[in-house]
Amino acid sequence: MGGKGRRPRTKRQAEKWKRELDRFRMIQRQIKEDAPDILASGNFRRTRQYIQHGNMTVNEHVLSVARCSLALSSRLHIPCSRRELVRGALLHDYFLYDWHVPDKENPHTLHGFYHPGTALRNASREYRLTKRERDIIKKHMWPLTVVPPRCREAWIVTTADKWCSLMETLHMRRGHGIILQKLRKE
């Protein structure tokens, strides 16, 4: 039960932990059911190579945003298309480059303003997107994108993205990106 030097969990703590684990597994199952094509995509897997915020990879970030979006809509009882919510959340940062490293074509200095359009172009080439999914991807950086989201799903993903980004930037959530940073330095 308890680790070395730790007190064992109480029955109440164990039950709470089990409920949280069950909720996490249910959300993971929902993501896998709604977006198997995205999760299996080579380009989506490439997002594991790029750092997003702090030590989090883009892949970890978009999965966190998808989980947070589902939890938000569920806990706040916001009716929405869960499938479009998940797919939009997974594709909202589908820009497929490392925005921390300038290249010859783009210095990425205004990444926050321009990456939603790039993500939408990339996602549109690979997937048939609904209007809601397009709105989620294009407007998730509101208020940097001047036009606000038009659907509930986009508002939820926008909110979840802000929360996850804050936690990642403040290093309150640690990702596997630290491994990439160490490998790049060697």
Side-chain angles (χ1 to χ4, degrees):
M1 267 196 150
K4 195 174 189 178
R6 292 185 181 173
R7 286 184 281 164
R9 282 192 188 108
T10 65
K11 186 175 181 178
R12 187 175 176 184
Q13 288 171 327
E15 288 169 358
K16 181 180 177 188
W17 184 84
K18 185 177 180 334
R19 280 193 309 273
E20 291 296 319
L21 181 61
D22 289 342
R23 189 175 299 126
F24 177 82
R25 286 179 175 157
M26 182 190 69
I27 287 173
Q28 285 294 103
R29 199 169 24 256
Q30 178 89 45
I31 292 169
K32 287 178 183 176
E33 288 172 8
D34 289 335
D37 57 329
I38 295 171
L39 296 172
S41 159
N43 277 336
F44 185 76
R45 280 191 248 120
R46 269 183 50 206
T47 62
R48 295 175 186 165
Q49 300 171 22
Y50 310 123
I51 299 296
Q52 179 66 336
H53 308 108
N55 296 325
M56 297 290 283
T57 64
V58 174
N59 186 275
E60 291 172 312
H61 169 72
V62 298
L63 286 166
S64 291
V65 170
R67 285 190 294 268
C68 186
S69 296
L70 285 169
L72 266 174
S73 69
S74 176
R75 288 187 184 186
L76 297 177
H77 306 288
I78 301 171
C80 65
S81 167
R82 297 209 188 264
R83 182 176 195 279
E84 290 171 306
L85 181 74
V86 166
R87 295 177 71 80
L90 291 176
L91 296 171
H92 82 275
D93 280 338
Y94 204 59
F95 44 83
L96 304 174
Y97 59 81
D98 187 347
W99 64 273
H100 299 90
V101 180
D103 57 42
K104 293 177 184 177
E105 297 160 17
N106 191 341
H108 308 303
T109 52
L110 297 174
H111 171 76
F113 291 95
Y114 295 116
H115 83 270
T118 304
L120 181 58
R121 276 191 304 280
N122 290 339
S124 295
R125 287 183 197 130
E126 202 166 332
Y127 308 100
R128 286 191 62 175
L129 302 174
T130 66
K131 284 183 181 180
R132 282 188 180 124
E133 291 165 354
R134 296 175 75 79
D135 195 51
I136 292 167
I137 297 166
K138 191 171 184 176
K139 314 259 182 72
H140 79 274
M141 285 301 290
W142 185 82
L144 293 183
T145 54
V146 181
V147 180
R150 291 192 175 154
C151 62
R152 290 181 187 138
E153 293 81 0
W155 279 108
I156 293 168
V157 171
T158 298
T159 304
D161 183 46
K162 303 289 183 267
W163 176 254
C164 290
S165 298
L166 176 66
M167 294 296 105
E168 294 160 11
T169 301
L170 296 177
H171 302 286
M172 296 180 84
R173 288 219 53 241
R174 301 205 184 267
H176 295 95
I178 193 74
I179 297 166
L180 292 176
Q181 288 176 341
K182 286 179 182 177
L183 289 174
R184 287 181 184 155
K185 289 179 183 176
E186 293 175 352

